[in-house]
Amino acid sequence: SLYAAAGVADYWVLDTTGRRLLVHRRPQADAAQKYGHGYADVAVLTGQQAVAPLAAPNSPVAADDLLA
């Protein structure tokens, strides 16, 4: 919520226990969140599912590559 409030457009979290990557995008106002903001899009990726950072759209990364 704090990152969304600061306007961080692309926020990734590695869940090493669950072996997944959570990608948060599109920060927006959300009164229900602690800092008044949240993310409209949250994708959960596992295995060879890939995503590219917004800052490098031509450089996709697979979830497993980050968890290796």
Side-chain angles (χ1 to χ4, degrees):
S1 178
L2 187 58
Y3 290 148
V8 175
D10 199 15
Y11 172 55
W12 295 15
V13 177
L14 277 175
D15 174 4
T16 56
T17 304
R19 299 205 43 82
R20 60 191 188 151
L21 171 65
L22 292 85
V23 178
H24 298 74
R25 291 187 171 158
R26 289 195 327 127
Q28 66 180 14
D30 183 347
Q33 298 293 324
K34 182 175 182 180
Y35 296 103
H37 288 76
Y39 286 93
D41 295 330
V42 179
V44 179
L45 290 85
T46 60
Q48 289 302 308
Q49 291 178 307
V51 64
L54 294 178
N58 295 320
S59 301
V61 178
D64 273 352
D65 291 343
L66 295 174
L67 292 161

